[in-house]
Amino acid sequence: MRATTIHAPGDIRVEEVADPTITAPTDAIVKVTAGCICGSDLWPYRGHNDITPGDTIGHECVGVVEEVGSEVSDFKPGDFVIVPFDHCDNTCVHCVAGMHSGCVNLGFTASGQAEYALVTQANGSLVKTDGMPDKDLIPSLLTLSDVMATGWHAAVTAGVRPGGTAVVVGDGAVGLCGVLAAVQLGAERVIAMSRHEPRQAIARQFGATHVVAERGKEASARVAEITDGVGADAVLECVGTNDAIRTAFAVARPGATVGFVGVPHDVELPVRKMFQKNIGLAGGMAPVRKYLPELLDLTLSGRINPGLVFDLTLPLDQAPEGYRAMDERRAIKVLLEP
Amino acid sequence: MRATTIHAPGDIRVEEVADPTITAPTDAIVKVTAGCICGSDLWPYRGHNDITPGDTIGHECVGVVEEVGSEVSDFKPGDFVIVPFDHCDNTCVHCVAGMHSGCVNLGFTASGQAEYALVTQANGSLVKTDGMPDKDLIPSLLTLSDVMATGWHAAVTAGVRPGGTAVVVGDGAVGLCGVLAAVQLGAERVIAMSRHEPRQAIARQFGATHVVAERGKEASARVAEITDGVGADAVLECVGTNDAIRTAFAVARPGATVGFVGVPHDVELPVRKMFQKNIGLAGGMAPVRKYLPELLDLTLSGRINPGLVFDLTLPLDQAPEGYRAMDERRAIKVLLEP
């Protein structure tokens, strides 16, 4: 099959690789309808993560079941499915507790930017739609495989509650989905931190009541002003850098929680400040499967339209250009069509 | 008045200092019935915190109101009161949200190991009993000024829930109160980490279902064994050292929360592990006033008896010996009688 591979920082190729095959009875193969590039794919692209040259890359996709293992009872070839980036059995002690990203049979999509993807725990992981969804819905459904579920996880773990004030740090696709999640969860004030006009526009479309373009201390001063000196009840940290973490804790009111979903890179947590101000930290890798039924319902009913985060659609063969566009911040998020 | 003062690491004295005086209309002076030594008093005693030579020390006490400022309407001389170590107005935006330790008028008891203590926000901070309590109740009431409320805060912020498994890291007085709190909040399994027989005995008296004497990796292995490999739903970190923090995160199951109340010293939080396993951190300085009505009720009705953490009672003049006894772990917690 054709698949996106990474060979070195900045070296993304689309080439022929072996088709994935069923090796466990719980496996399924999905023919990818749409995949996309994640902000976290930029870490190896930029040389911040280790790379095994020639590895396929991409963990977000939706598609049609092509083949299933002998124990996959709930899905059959032809089903249109959302593929959570983190596969889980949905039956283990951690899944039952709602922490599917801690599943004892955890697996990951390894070729979401390709023609086919292997799902290691198909019965537990996949969620299907009734029949083929409308083409217009594909982008929004695709976001449910990771980015929207991750933004949702940020909002849930930050403890967003009706009537409260949420601050979203990060205006990437996850941050924008975090805005949408905070609004859905009833936050009265949702403050998006963004300096980029097109991203500010989407944040507002998603329901942000305020946009703060400042950074660092000026940003916390603006949030203080907006919140009458109180600070945010809930903070969604959707970047993963030390600067973003600092900002997140700086804008949080005493007793607030920072929900973090940006994979942390060189982050040092301000433990003294956390203690003195009782600011908690929660979150991590999103338990996508947990949220899928609810998010699918919100999407199919048109109450959320997270697909707006895609501002560039390319054929799979142009994946290298997709990476360049995201790396240079020319695109928020790139959808790839095999 | 006679008060305990600190002059240098290891140099505790009881000497004459100026009586506290009412300087603000919200102040009150309390004649101390009983004070005590806190584990956190050992930080300066051991030279880990800065010292201003001659400063009074001690922040936990109960006593009888001696004098009140003009705006103190709810208390009068003769009232027996619990004095939270952290004073608050109980009306500001943070107090109203239940985060009294973030009060905009935050203050602290500065001479709890003395004849008199100043309370800077008397109306908001103090809670009184109906008449003079029975002498036998004094130790338990004294714990409500800090240690029991702090153990309670650990359990609340760790998210202890009925039926769950709680691990308590630390067998000091706070940790033991944490055990009591976890039991009260309905945890089915409460695992106390302690190597010291007298402390193990109190932990069991407080309702611990298991005691783990191992440390480090052996300790996590024991918890894994007890919990069928799952880990703890809630972890109370009641020490504040890096080792204790490591142990706390090591025994937490995916999705669990560590509630920390030990003032952190040289702690580096395992941010990657927190992210990968979705283990949150919450807690900090306890909002004592928030919990006081409930804890007072539990204590007066005899449902909790946290005063058991005091295993040594000394006259105030022997405060230096009290510090030595706690420093050498000959005593769990020392009560001082002026």
Side-chain angles (χ1 to χ4, degrees), chain B residues 76-325:
Chain B
K76 56 178 194 309
D79 286 340
F80 182 89
V81 290
I82 319 292
V83 183
F85 80 90
D86 43 358
H87 313 161
C88 58
D89 59 25
N90 205 18
T91 56
C92 81
V93 63
H94 300 308
C95 286
V96 167
M99 193 35 67
H100 298 68
S101 40
C103 177
V104 300
N105 286 307
L106 191 65
F108 297 97
T109 302
S111 60
Q113 301 156 9
E115 287 184 288
Y116 296 95
L118 176 69
V119 186
T120 57
Q121 291 288 331
N123 248 3
S125 307
L126 298 173
V127 170
K128 64 186 166 192
T129 56
D130 290 336
M132 248 334 254
D134 205 74
K135 196 174 181 305
D136 295 349
L137 272 175
I138 298 292
S140 285
L141 293 173
L142 174 56
T143 66
L144 308 190
S145 72
D146 180 352
V147 61
M148 181 62 211
T150 293
W152 194 262
H153 190 51
V156 168
T157 56
V160 172
R161 280 186 192 81
T165 295
V167 167
V168 182
V169 181
D171 65 357
V174 175
L176 295 171
C177 288
V179 168
L180 188 53
V183 171
Q184 280 295 317
L185 291 169
E188 192 178 292
R189 274 190 297 214
V190 178
I191 303 171
M193 294 201 158
S194 174
R195 298 191 298 177
H196 302 268
E197 210 291 319
R199 293 162 193 244
Q200 292 177 345
I202 296 178
R204 290 197 188 276
Q205 221 170 328
F206 280 171
T209 54
H210 300 74
V211 169
V212 168
E214 289 83 352
R215 290 216 165 177
K217 285 189 179 168
E218 289 70 32
S220 353
R222 273 293 294 140
V223 171
E225 202 179 312
I226 295 166
T227 60
D228 300 320
V230 174
D233 302 304
V235 184
L236 289 66
E237 197 289 288
C238 304
V239 184
T241 61
N242 205 42
D243 280 350
I245 282 280
R246 270 171 184 271
T247 300
F249 282 101
V251 301
R253 69 181 285 175
T257 303
V258 173
F260 80 141
V261 294
V263 185
H265 281 74
D266 299 323
V267 161
E268 196 177 327
L269 295 172
V271 61
R272 277 271 173 170
K273 175 177 227 160
M274 294 170 74
F275 187 89
Q276 279 158 2
K277 292 185 67 182
N278 269 271
I279 302 173
L281 181 69
M285 193 167 71
V288 176
R289 180 60 180 83
K290 173 188 186 183
Y291 303 127
L292 266 188
E294 182 174 7
L295 293 179
L296 185 58
D297 180 51
L298 287 171
T299 303
L300 293 175
S301 65
R303 276 171 292 164
I304 62 173
N305 186 12
L308 287 176
V309 296
F310 293 110
D311 55 351
L312 181 61
T313 296
L314 295 172
L316 176 60
D317 286 341
Q318 291 179 35
E321 164 55 15
Y323 275 79
R324 279 192 296 273

Side-chain angles (χ1 to χ4, degrees), chain A residues 49 93-95 97 99 101-102 153 157 229-231 245 253-255 257 260-272 274-287, chain B residues 49 93-95 97 99 101-102 153 157 229-231 245 253-255 257 260-272 274-287:
Chain A
N49 284 6
V93 64
H94 300 308
C95 286
M99 193 35 67
S101 42
H153 190 51
T157 56
V230 174
I245 283 280
R253 69 182 285 177
T257 303
F260 80 140
V261 293
V263 185
H265 280 74
D266 298 323
V267 162
E268 197 176 327
L269 296 172
V271 61
R272 277 270 174 171
M274 293 170 76
F275 186 88
Q276 280 157 1
K277 292 184 69 182
N278 268 271
I279 303 172
L281 181 69
M285 192 167 71
Chain B
N49 285 5
V93 63
H94 300 308
C95 286
M99 193 35 67
S101 40
H153 190 51
T157 56
V230 174
I245 282 280
R253 69 181 285 175
T257 303
F260 80 141
V261 294
V263 185
H265 281 74
D266 299 323
V267 161
E268 196 177 327
L269 295 172
V271 61
R272 277 271 173 170
M274 294 170 74
F275 187 89
Q276 279 158 2
K277 292 185 67 182
N278 269 271
I279 302 173
L281 181 69
M285 193 167 71

